[in-house]
Amino acid sequence: MDLEALRHANFSALSTAITDWSTVVKNLKTLEKRSRDDMKAKADKANWTGVNATVSREFIAKTAGEFSDALTQATSIRDILRDTHDELVGYRDELKKALDDGFEKDKLSVYGEKGGGFRVMAAVHPEPPGTQQKADALRDNIQRILNQATTSDSTAARVLRAIAEQADYGFSGVKHGDRDSAADALNKADAMAKLAKDAKKMSPEELAEFQRTLAQYKDDELFAATFASKLGGKETLQFWNDVAELHAGATGDELKQLQSLQRDLSMTLANATLSDSDGMEKWKQKVLDEATTAFRTNAADPLRPNGAMGYQVMSSLMHHGKYDAEFLDAYGKQLLKMDMAPAGLTGMGTNDLWKAGNITDLVFGKDDGRDPLVGYMKALSHNPEAALETFDDKKVFEHMLESTRYTDRDGAVAHALEAAVTGYGDGEKATDVRPHSREQVALMKEVMHAVAQPETGAELVNKATGESFGDMAAAYMPEISRSIAGEGAESIFWSNSQDPDGLNKLDTTRFLYETARDPMGRAAIIVGESVYTASSLEAHIAQPELFDGKTEDAVTAIAKNAGIIEGIVGHSVADAGITGDLEAEKDANTALKTKGDVVKSILSAGVGVGTVALVGTAPAVAATAAAASGFFGGIAGMSVDRLIDAQQIDGALDQALYDTAGDLNDAQASANHQTQESAVKAIEEHGSKELTEGATRNTIRLAIEDGWDASDSMLEDSHARPAA
């Protein structure tokens, strides 16, 4: 910026732009709130079928997201413009004061020159003593002001262009409150990309600075996209391969630093893929192009003659962060085509495909990074939309599930499936109600069918997969309850699922039975059933109009289902011959407390887990509002407390409320006690005029016994069981 431009600058047009953008922000806040709280909320609750259930709901969800992104982007632009305006006005005023002081105090005049330069000259003759020194000082001060103004102007322009480039269509989620922070992010990205061009030249101090910078900026989309674009797709893969090879065998503090670096780089790249800038489009395509390239740090290394394939390097950087769904789809199609290529039975051959050769350990953890499907599945576990899209291909689903028998990818596959069928990413906190789509229910049905297969299904449940299968069961407790209860129970077991009756009863029974063999799987089922039972009982007791018959009949049906589900779990434990040793007790009780604590934290946040089934399809408006606000979460929370408090290990013969040693009597007593207490608490809480405590306890006792006996019969009909 030259002297005359700043001296005579008129920022009224910029002020008008700021006012206009402030108006845009104000209007977008209103639209964003309406789209989120009105349009999207109603769409989530609507019991739609056909095209509305898929296309319309998805369109509304994406539209609501666009309003949110639009608000974020507009706010960032307004704040950066305002920040730049204030800075430039300040520099203009500072320049004018410097010019005035120079003339009045030191008799110096400043003249602008063609081309942007300026001269400082004495305004009087002869020149007073010291004039040259004063002129030099004024010249330096003016140049400083002009340099700062130029930086303010140019960085604002770069930042605004960068923000605009992040999305080809619609809006990006870039968020910055001022020009300095955005400019700093871009400058840091430039510096880190330059540093990563050659990992072999990185000093320990530079590597530490690199890791610290990524840790600070990994969630900044502007930084992430600029860093990745400047570095390049192939160079990103080469960088990580070099880091892994140069630091192979790291231990102690060095290992911890590298684990943090891998996490932060993964999250940075994940954020970068959300950008649609030209640079990131080139980055994504280059990664796909280099997927089969062999990367080596030292071409002469006889121990690693082949090098790590691009797929292996990229997937090792997918363990953390939410990658863009379109990128995951394109990457996955290529990767899965290669993984499914080996001849043989479905799922076979993939282990040999990726484990051959001696390559660098690309993951500073338990996994060695050789199987790229592990990292890819972990990426899907953080992006439910992409996970569902991937597993919607039945051949892919069958291949991936079967491949877990021959590989170490079982836990990663299970987490990806869990994200796909529940709609929640791995580690994501539940803060809203997400009804299951028809596609999700259909996939859950396929998962259940696979696990339910005689002789082969049980092998799919292990320590790596059991928890995820249990979480799926807990999330689908409304549909499971409908499946077990059968036709006619719709007005008792409410569900906001698009396909509440989409599960198969036989497969459901066998799935619960097999999943219950794993301590974490069993804990998830027990907690999920207890929460759903407690909240359903409270709903019907608090609002008898939910069911057009007697409330006692609804309570009986709910209690019988609880008896069936708990009975299946109890028989699974007993049939497996799980002994009553202390270690078995600790495993199960630790699992139950872990699951209980998680659900309690969600309930305390106001999300009615288990009660969400009432949202949207309940006939009573009051019930809908109550469920949405977590009104029915109180009794459910107490049921979780009872489960946790009952687990007090004193030794192998401990007779806890829910004894994991396979004592069916104790297991049945637990289900009976849990259900009775939930009903009684609801009666007390809501002052039921229709039900009394004594009669309700007896009703539940009989219903639990009936359900328990039914579970035994169901298992006899559906599952080969050990002789008594």
Side-chain angles (χ1 to χ4, degrees), residues 322 380-384 415 418-420 422-429 434:
K322 185 176 181 179
L380 291 182
S381 76
H382 295 113
N383 192 321
H415 279 104
E418 181 183 346
T422 64
Y424 290 95
D426 187 22
E428 181 182 358
K429 292 184 178 180
R434 299 176 190 175

Side-chain angles (χ1 to χ4, degrees), residues 359-400:
I359 69 168
T360 303
D361 182 349
L362 294 162
V363 180
F364 294 99
K366 295 179 181 179
D367 178 32
D368 61 12
R370 291 190 177 193
D371 184 354
L373 269 298
V374 173
Y376 177 62
M377 287 292 117
K378 288 192 175 182
L380 291 182
S381 76
H382 295 113
N383 192 321
E385 178 188 352
L388 184 60
E389 179 70 21
T390 299
F391 290 120
D392 191 47
D393 185 330
K394 192 170 182 179
K395 288 184 179 180
V396 170
F397 165 74
E398 291 177 349
H399 168 78
M400 289 308 303

